[in-house]
Amino acid sequence: VQLQASGGGLVQAGGSLALSCAASGRIFTINNMGWYRQGPGRQRESVAGITSGGTTNYADSVKGRFTISRDNAKNTLYLQMNSLKPEDTAVYYCTANLKQSYFSERRDYWGQGTQVTVSS
């Protein structure tokens, strides 16, 4: 299984970016998916999560600015980021909790990360 994140880049404060994360390989079902980030000198933190049914949750720092969504048919996760701030600068990682077969156990998979830089 591979999770390929894309969409990062450099943007000015107040701007927008859209991230995507495509899961590929042997996948039976995907449960929860989410985005994490790790800024310079900081620990990795949860940004947003979404269940297979579409229930979402957000870190307080991004509520009202970021929107997480997923396309179950395409095994793809999205993160729309608006009103970006310099403190949003980080490497953003996607994660998916999934099963590779009916009999396999669920486990977490991580993408390689995509850099988001917000200039002031």
Side-chain angles (χ1 to χ4, degrees):
V1 173
Q2 284 191 325
L3 270 63
Q4 183 69 45
S6 61
L10 173 64
V11 65
Q12 288 188 330
S16 298
L17 280 175
L19 306 183
S20 62
C21 174
S24 61
R26 186 182 180 191
I27 297 171
F28 179 64
T29 59
I30 302 178
N31 188 23
N32 297 338
M33 303 182 81
W35 290 97
Y36 284 70
R37 67 185 181 187
Q38 187 166 15
R42 304 180 68 175
Q43 289 188 327
R44 189 174 296 191
E45 62 177 355
S46 175
V47 175
I50 185 168
T51 68
S52 57
T55 300
T56 60
N57 63 83
Y58 298 92
D60 288 342
S61 59
V62 307
K63 280 181 181 177
R65 300 188 297 122
F66 290 11
T67 302
I68 189 171
S69 62
R70 62 191 283 176
D71 185 331
N72 291 331
K74 296 181 179 179
N75 289 338
T76 301
L77 177 70
Y78 304 97
L79 185 69
Q80 177 64 43
M81 304 184 294
N82 299 327
S83 302
L84 283 161
K85 304 175 181 180
E87 51 264 43
D88 294 319
T89 294
V91 177
Y92 284 69
Y93 299 91
C94 56
T95 182
N97 179 265
L98 62 87
K99 297 179 64 172
Q100 288 194 276
S101 71
Y102 178 83
F103 298 102
S104 67
E105 294 185 353
R106 295 186 182 280
R107 57 161 290 192
D108 292 327
Y109 292 82
W110 290 83
Q112 84 286 4
T114 184
Q115 177 70 46
V116 172
T117 302
V118 184
S119 63
S120 57

